[in-house]
Amino acid sequence: YFIKGKLKSVLKKIIYFIVNWISFFITSFIPVKKDLVIFTGTSLSNYNENSRYLYEYLVKNKKFSPMWVTNSKKVYDYLCDKKYPVMWHKSLSGAWCYMRAGVVIGTGSSYPSLFMFVGKRTKKIWLSHGAGIRGTNAVSSGFINQFQLLKRFHAFDFLIFTSKFMDTYQGKLQFLIPKNKRKILGFPRCDHLFNLALLENSKNNKSTVKNFNMPIKENTRVLLYAPTWRPEECESDSLSLFQLSEFNYSNFNNWLKHNNIVLLISVHASARETYKDLSSYGNIDFIPDDPLIDINQIITEVDLLITDYSSIATDFMLMNRPVIFVMLDYDYFYNDYGLLEDIRLTLPGVEVDNINSLELSIIDLLNNPEKFQQKRDKYLEKYYDINNTNACSNISNFIENLI
């Protein structure tokens, strides 16, 4: 069995090598369709992130020829029902799209591709996964070293940033990207966070959260706990909120119920799979695992965010709403993993390390959401240029000039 497994692995690598070079050779002779722009989410199975918002903007404004590529039947059927252009990733039509693409859009450390069907003439644009203190060149078990990570980013032709600070400290100093490839245009997923009427309506109605089988009543306040992804090297629990001193699930759930508050939890799939089912507690639960759900659709209905080093804090503060920080493993992240700065020196919210201070801070900030407003403004001066209120238009115009 061991020898058979090894042979299969070797054979698979040989096949991939041959197909890659065949696709590279074919792509060299196929002319690109300059206005064909290909998108995927954080993975081929998700319809989310910056790419989703830019894709929908281009579809609705009939600009270029946008195409979403996926391997999810649910995403494929959803986009077909909306009559949005969509292709299967591993298909002849998908391969043809990759070969003809004028532009491909990525939000992770690589752009969407199938073998080597995306050629050198195709422009590769990085929209980023987030803007925050964790935007360093630190690597985890997914990469051998920083050089491997930087090679991925340097494969892009252009990288989009949200502010001069992020452009300099992440793009230039962390990723070593030359100036001509760095553009400060904002995040498409944040455009609607500048719409004050939409924000007020969402906060009052909470129509999306009502569909999550949570006890939403009149004047119910919604909390979102969204911790950052943690590498395998980090020994702390990904749901550090529940590691607070004197925390008890039943007691905290009863406290939430008594105060007409619900807690939604957003975590990466790997953390969720290893954690207990929380639905039985009533006022605490995970956001449904659905490839069509995007977190920036939900945060407009959230009254208060609980997080740590996650870039979701930046998006959330654009709405001028309060943030509580739970950073029990701060020493690891700051000293070993690496952060862009010591955020504790200018923290735009409250840091808590026990359940009592958490409960007191929740009530205080819900009743006084204007607290820390000046610190939130200072934070955004670094991490998000609030003059970029229409990133979709900015990036669309950039692509138009590019092609």
Side-chain angles (χ1 to χ4, degrees), residues 106-111 126 129 143 148-149 151-153 155-156:
T107 63
S109 57
S110 60
Y111 53 84
W126 181 73
H129 182 56
F143 294 91
Q148 187 184 46
L149 177 68
K151 185 178 179 181
R152 293 271 194 96
F153 286 117
F156 287 93

Side-chain angles (χ1 to χ4, degrees), residues 245-305:
S245 175
E246 301 179 6
F247 180 87
N248 176 276
Y249 287 100
S250 296
N251 292 343
F252 187 54
N253 184 71
N254 290 335
W255 181 86
L256 291 171
K257 188 180 298 185
H258 175 75
N259 288 282
N260 195 18
I261 299 171
V262 299
L263 174 66
L264 291 173
I265 303 169
S266 173
V267 294
H268 288 74
S270 57
R272 180 170 181 165
E273 289 171 1
T274 59
Y275 222 78
K276 63 184 295 182
D277 181 18
L278 300 173
S279 60
S280 60
Y281 290 101
N283 284 53
I284 307 173
D285 204 358
F286 291 104
I287 290 175
D289 186 15
D290 188 323
L292 298 177
I293 290 180
D294 179 81
I295 193 66
N296 276 45
Q297 293 177 306
I298 299 170
I299 62 173
T300 58
E301 302 179 14
V302 174
D303 298 272
L304 183 149
L305 173 69

Side-chain angles (χ1 to χ4, degrees), residues 121-215:
R121 288 172 293 177
T122 301
K123 301 300 181 184
K124 295 93 176 173
I125 299 177
W126 181 73
L127 293 187
S128 177
H129 182 56
I133 59 173
R134 201 180 154 180
T136 67
N137 61 21
V139 296
S140 61
S141 54
F143 294 91
I144 298 173
N145 52 43
Q146 273 88 354
F147 298 106
Q148 187 184 46
L149 177 68
L150 294 181
K151 185 178 179 181
R152 293 271 194 96
F153 286 117
H154 280 256
F156 287 93
D157 295 296
F158 299 98
L159 294 88
I160 307 301
F161 297 92
T162 55
S163 67
K164 183 62 179 175
F165 178 86
M166 290 301 293
D167 174 75
T168 301
Y169 283 84
Q170 184 183 49
K172 178 182 178 181
L173 300 180
Q174 293 290 324
F175 296 166
L176 308 180
I177 304 297
K179 186 176 181 179
N180 65 311
K181 296 177 68 172
R182 307 192 314 262
K183 306 296 174 182
I184 304 173
L185 301 174
F187 283 169
R189 72 186 190 200
C190 292
D191 284 353
H192 67 294
L193 303 181
F194 294 98
N195 186 331
L196 297 182
L198 181 148
L199 295 182
E200 189 65 23
N201 182 62
S202 296
K203 188 176 180 181
N204 292 333
N205 294 331
K206 305 190 187 304
S207 55
T208 303
V209 178
K210 285 177 180 176
N211 294 326
F212 293 165
N213 197 31
M214 299 292 282

